[in-house]
Amino acid sequence: SGIMVFYTAYLTIKNIITIGEMAALRLIINQLSSMVSSLISSVRTVQETRYSLERVLETQLIKDEIVGSIEIREISSIRFIDVCFSYTKLSGNVLNNIDLVIESGKTTAIVGESGSGKTTLLKIMIGEMDIDAGKIKKGEIKIGYFDQNRKTLDDDKNLIETFCPMGGDRIEVRGRNMHVYGYLKQFLFPKEFLDKKIGILSGGEKSRVALALMFTKDYDVMILDEPTNDLDIPTINILEEYLIEFKGAIIFVSHDRYFVDKLAQKLFIFKGNGVIEESYTQYSEYLEIEKTIKDISNFEKEVKIKKEEPKKEKKQTKLSYKEKKEYEDGIGYIRQITADTIHIFGEKLLM
């Protein structure tokens, strides 16, 4: 920190940066230093957690070998081992030797730039897409999937038929037998909606139906792709409550930083070029760190450009006859005054 203060002061003295830029840079450095300290602490926690997890997996493997199984039986979990995937041979890897674990009872958010492969990862998890290399190990688990296109819904059925396909008007929700209207009321559906066809509902209403339907199923793992899209704030609050109460593993894709911060215990961050970074930092904090790093990078580029700009040489202008005459007269006058002054002081010294 002291070295950086000295360096910024040096840049200011050399006129490479202004005093205002120096103050801004020092502020950024102080913020980054604080964030780095927090990250170091988080990394230590992650290392301890990972070590504990590896010990659990090793113990489970030994138990499985005793009973003659060659697969790790991880209840309510999904494990990727050196997984690679690309859309075509000519395109770059979306996944490049990826190792990750979806743990039972944990909530993981997948974040990153649009088009980086987040939805592709979800589709690989549910078996809709095949990997190019590596292994994916799953326990004996039931997976629920909410996708942006709401494929689980039939536009020709009404709400009663969707939730009670075998007839009747009652459903089981987490061990409770409920009237379908009593349940759907929690997702803000009025009673007159029960006979409406799915096809005539709005995008947000279809999302509410699909989410409500998912919570009536007995799943070990819930996988959700942008679940807050098209939802209003009251529905998002209901969704958060149901997900918090869910006892299994949850993995979801979202750009909603508040939703991610509230639910996620871990982040899978798509960094590009097939790299996924695992982090236990809050999403909003991660975004602030990325912004700070980007600001510093942009600042360095600006300084470099400024430093590389050629210095403009001052053009020497030729004096006119009048200016030259005034200059020479002025020099002569100064010389005369100087001579007179020396003469006067000389006489005083000799007295």
Side-chain angles (χ1 to χ4, degrees):
S1 179
I3 293 172
M4 291 306 298
V5 170
F6 176 82
Y7 182 60
T8 53
Y10 169 78
L11 293 177
T12 308
I13 292 168
K14 289 294 185 180
N15 292 322
I16 295 173
I17 61 175
T18 66
I19 293 174
E21 289 171 339
M22 179 189 75
L25 181 58
R26 287 178 64 178
L27 179 62
I28 291 170
I29 290 167
N30 290 338
Q31 290 176 343
L32 187 60
S33 176
S34 175
M35 290 176 180
V36 167
S37 298
S38 176
L39 281 173
I40 290 171
S41 176
S42 297
V43 167
R44 287 173 181 164
T45 304
V46 171
Q47 289 172 339
E48 293 170 2
T49 304
R50 179 170 290 179
Y51 175 76
S52 299
L53 177 62
E54 288 173 351
R55 294 297 300 162
V56 169
L57 293 177
E58 287 172 5
T59 303
Q60 186 64 53
L61 179 59
I62 292 170
K63 290 179 180 177
D64 288 343
E65 286 177 345
I66 291 173
V67 297
S69 173
I70 58 172
E71 293 290 328
I72 301 177
R73 294 180 303 185
E74 299 163 22
I75 300 173
S76 300
S77 69
I78 304 170
R79 189 178 188 189
F80 280 46
I81 305 170
D82 292 328
V83 171
C84 296
F85 175 83
S86 60
Y87 296 115
T88 65
K89 291 182 179 180
L90 298 177
S91 65
N93 278 350
V94 176
L95 304 176
N96 188 20
N97 298 113
I98 297 301
D99 289 282
L100 56 84
V101 176
I102 307 300
E103 305 165 56
S104 176
K106 301 294 183 182
T107 301
T108 304
I110 302 175
V111 297
E113 296 293 329
S114 297
S116 56
K118 302 184 295 296
T119 297
T120 298
L121 178 63
L122 299 187
K123 289 183 177 180
I124 289 172
M125 286 183 183
I126 64 174
E128 279 193 10
M129 301 180 78
D130 296 324
I131 59 176
D132 299 329
K135 291 182 180 180
I136 300 176
K137 294 185 177 182
K138 299 178 185 178
E140 295 178 0
I141 56 176
K142 290 182 285 184
I143 299 176
Y145 180 53
F146 171 85
D147 70 308
Q148 297 182 57
N149 299 318
R150 299 171 284 268
K151 293 178 182 177
T152 56
L153 303 180
D154 185 342
D155 285 348
D156 295 327
K157 291 183 178 180
N158 60 31
L159 266 65
I160 286 283
E161 293 168 335
T162 299
F163 284 85
C164 306
M166 306 303 292
D169 57 8
R170 303 193 69 82
I171 54 175
E172 290 287 332
V173 181
R174 297 177 181 175
R176 292 176 56 200
N177 187 274
M178 301 178 65
H179 189 279
V180 65
Y181 168 62
Y183 176 62
L184 289 177
K185 187 166 62 173
Q186 297 178 21
F187 288 85
L188 310 180
F189 283 107
K191 195 167 187 177
E192 56 267 25
F193 267 61
L194 294 180
D195 296 323
K196 282 193 175 183
K197 299 285 186 182
I198 298 294
I200 66 171
L201 300 180
S202 68
E205 289 165 346
K206 286 182 179 179
S207 291
R208 281 153 54 195
V209 172
L211 289 168
L213 186 62
M214 173 179 276
F215 290 118
T216 65
K217 310 297 182 182
D218 185 21
Y219 293 127
D220 300 301
V221 179
M222 284 192 180
I223 298 177
L224 305 97
D225 191 6
E226 297 286 3
T228 61
N229 279 6
D230 300 322
L231 297 184
D232 54 19
I233 292 175
T235 309
I236 291 174
N237 292 336
I238 294 167
L239 172 62
E240 288 171 350
E241 290 174 9
Y242 269 86
L243 290 174
I244 289 170
E245 292 176 6
F246 181 65
K247 302 302 181 184
I250 300 171
I251 182 162
F252 66 94
V253 171
S254 181
H255 290 91
D256 185 336
R257 69 162 69 189
Y258 303 104
F259 184 75
V260 175
D261 281 348
K262 187 167 184 178
L263 294 176
Q265 297 164 297
K266 179 169 64 174
L267 302 178
F268 288 153
I269 306 166
F270 274 72
K271 305 292 287 186
N273 299 318
V275 176
I276 298 178
E277 179 182 300
E278 188 174 326
S279 174
Y280 289 80
T281 307
Q282 273 208 322
Y283 185 42
S284 57
E285 186 177 342
Y286 163 76
L287 290 176
E288 287 298 322
I289 293 171
E290 286 293 298
K291 183 179 181 299
T292 302
I293 293 171
K294 187 177 180 180
D295 289 344
I296 292 174
S297 177
N298 291 337
F299 180 76
E300 288 175 344
K301 288 176 184 177
E302 289 175 9
V303 170
K304 186 177 179 181
I305 291 170
K306 188 174 181 180
K307 193 174 181 181
E308 290 176 351
E309 285 179 354
K311 293 182 179 179
K312 295 180 180 179
E313 295 182 4
K314 293 182 180 179
K315 293 182 179 179
Q316 293 183 350
T317 56
K318 191 176 181 180
L319 297 175
S320 66
Y321 173 78
K322 184 180 179 182
E323 289 171 336
K324 188 175 181 183
K325 185 74 170 60
E326 288 175 351
Y327 173 76
E328 289 174 350
D329 290 346
I331 292 295
Y333 176 73
I334 292 169
R335 284 175 178 168
Q336 184 62 50
I337 292 294
T338 304
D340 291 345
T341 304
I342 292 171
H343 178 70
I344 292 167
F345 274 97
E347 285 182 348
K348 286 184 177 181
L349 288 170
L350 291 172
M351 289 175 66

